[in-house]
Amino acid sequence: MKQLRYYIAAIIAFAVWGTFSLVLKPLHEYSSLDILFYRVFSCAVIMSFISIFFKKKKIKENLRIFKSQSQEIRQKAIVLNILSSMLLTANWFSFIYVMNHISVRATSVAYLVCPILTTILAFFILREKLTRLQWLAVILSGAGCILLSYANLIDMLYSSLVGLTYAIYLVIQNINKKFDKFLILNVHIVFSSLILLPFFPAYSGAVPSEIKFYIFIEVIAVLYTIVPLLLNLYALSGISSSKVGMILNINPIIAFILAAAVFHEKLELIQILAYSIIFLAVIIFNAKEIFSAGLNPEEMKEI
């Protein structure tokens, strides 16, 4: 399969994010804003250092590509990339807040809602086509989310906010396909840090003194921010936003398992049923790619 490497990139990214609670929960005594501040600032410093000292050639090449575009396209790209930074900032803060102050389960629901929103937004905004089987998967996924909202409506409201911010981010990355993925992510994180910087003096707490805090922040910055986001952007360069969105369901399924097995959050039968339905929806949505190896071209057309 020509697109296999893009699927693998997306799967690894979302599988890593699914285990985020393992490094975030140990910081639950710190405020959500402090975790966000140090996470974003750390990412900005690390990525900018790498870009300045190791990617000078890429910077010049990407600037040349940018300048070769029409003024209208350049202005659109600037606006959408600033919006991307704002969406990432909002997503990170809401995710950290919900994880540490609502429940691990609620964050897993957020990334079940996100694929549905991503698929629908990609259909209307990017005109990505969906087969009848893929629409069935979207409906099944929606049914699973409705079951989860029935179990806890408040969790669903928080989850929808987290999911919507990332869904919009995924869709608008379509504009950046011509540019280096590392540099694009560097721009997003630098803008995000600039957005947060004015709030740092007033809203940050005392400077953390525990070495544990800084160790976990660096792990979060590198392994749970830079690496997965780069893999995510790489996946988007080869497969559609709707497919990446549906693969994202791997994230909440892993988080759901951890919520029960590690953090001992109470899970009801209806929640287990809902997650099972959504897992089935992921298989159905990507059925053509999963089973294409065993089908001839004529059979594939019928899926």
Side-chain angles (χ1 to χ4, degrees):
M1 187 186 354
K2 293 181 180 179
Q3 297 178 322
L4 180 61
R5 60 183 182 274
Y6 302 112
Y7 280 94
I8 292 173
I11 290 168
I12 293 173
F14 298 134
V16 169
W17 271 332
T19 65
F20 198 6
S21 58
L22 296 177
V23 294
L24 192 53
K25 270 295 186 181
L27 299 178
H28 70 276
E29 68 268 23
Y30 295 94
S31 75
S32 300
L33 272 175
D34 276 342
I35 296 170
L36 179 63
F37 285 141
Y38 286 94
R39 174 191 188 182
V40 174
F41 295 155
S42 183
C43 286
V45 170
I46 293 169
M47 295 196 74
S48 297
F49 178 86
I50 294 172
S51 295
I52 292 169
F53 290 99
F54 299 101
K55 297 185 78 69
K56 290 180 181 178
K57 186 177 179 181
K58 280 290 183 182
I59 291 173
K60 292 178 181 179
E61 182 183 325
N62 280 255
L63 283 173
R64 180 183 56 77
I65 294 171
F66 179 74
K67 291 177 180 178
S68 69
Q69 306 294 319
S70 68
Q71 185 176 354
E72 182 183 352
I73 293 175
R74 290 202 302 268
Q75 289 176 342
K76 181 181 178 182
I78 291 170
V79 170
L80 289 179
N81 277 297
I82 291 174
L83 177 60
S84 294
S85 303
M86 295 172 66
L87 288 166
L88 270 185
T89 306
N91 178 260
W92 290 338
F93 173 73
S94 57
F95 180 90
I96 293 168
Y97 178 82
V98 172
M99 172 76 75
N100 280 349
H101 300 285
I102 306 300
S103 69
V104 176
R105 185 179 62 249
T107 57
S108 69
V109 176
Y111 290 106
L112 291 174
V113 176
C114 183
I116 302 171
L117 297 173
T118 303
T119 302
I120 293 171
L121 288 172
F123 177 78
F124 286 107
I125 297 174
L126 302 179
R127 307 298 181 189
E128 291 184 0
K129 295 181 179 179
L130 299 176
T131 64
R132 284 175 291 181
L133 202 59
Q134 288 173 327
W135 275 118
L136 172 62
V138 172
I139 293 169
L140 279 175
S141 195
C145 289
I146 290 171
L147 283 175
L148 289 170
S149 67
Y150 176 78
N152 194 321
L153 182 59
I154 299 299
D155 277 15
M156 192 64 184
L157 291 175
Y158 279 110
S159 300
S160 297
L161 174 63
V162 178
L164 181 61
T165 53
Y166 197 68
I168 300 173
Y169 175 82
L170 280 178
V171 170
I172 63 179
Q173 295 319 299
N174 188 60
I175 62 165
N176 291 319
K177 287 187 175 180
K178 294 181 180 179
F179 300 101
D180 182 79
K181 304 299 177 292
F182 188 93
L183 295 178
I184 286 296
L185 182 57
N186 194 177
V187 168
H188 291 168
I189 291 178
V190 168
F191 272 125
S192 179
S193 65
L194 292 175
I195 292 168
L196 291 172
L197 192 58
F199 299 97
F200 182 73
Y203 293 97
S204 63
V207 176
S209 58
E210 286 187 297
I211 190 66
K212 177 188 79 169
F213 176 83
Y214 297 101
I215 292 172
F216 278 111
I217 285 295
E218 293 310 310
V219 171
I220 290 170
V222 177
L223 295 182
Y224 287 87
T225 305
I226 296 172
V227 172
L229 281 173
L230 283 175
L231 289 171
N232 201 346
L233 291 175
Y234 177 74
L236 285 166
S237 69
I239 56 179
S240 67
S241 299
S242 57
K243 288 179 179 177
V244 172
M246 287 303 288
I247 295 171
L248 193 150
N249 277 307
I250 292 170
N251 173 341
I253 289 169
I254 293 174
F256 168 79
I257 294 170
L258 291 177
V262 178
F263 301 107
H264 308 294
E265 292 185 2
K266 185 180 178 181
L267 300 176
E268 299 174 2
L269 180 60
I270 193 170
Q271 293 169 327
I272 297 172
L273 176 62
Y275 276 90
S276 300
I277 291 172
I278 292 167
F279 181 74
L280 176 63
V282 177
I283 301 298
I284 292 173
F285 192 93
N286 296 287
K288 184 175 180 178
E289 285 72 25
I290 293 171
F291 301 111
S292 60
L295 299 174
N296 61 48
E298 292 301 317
E299 290 173 322
M300 286 176 64
K301 289 178 183 178
E302 295 176 4
I303 296 179

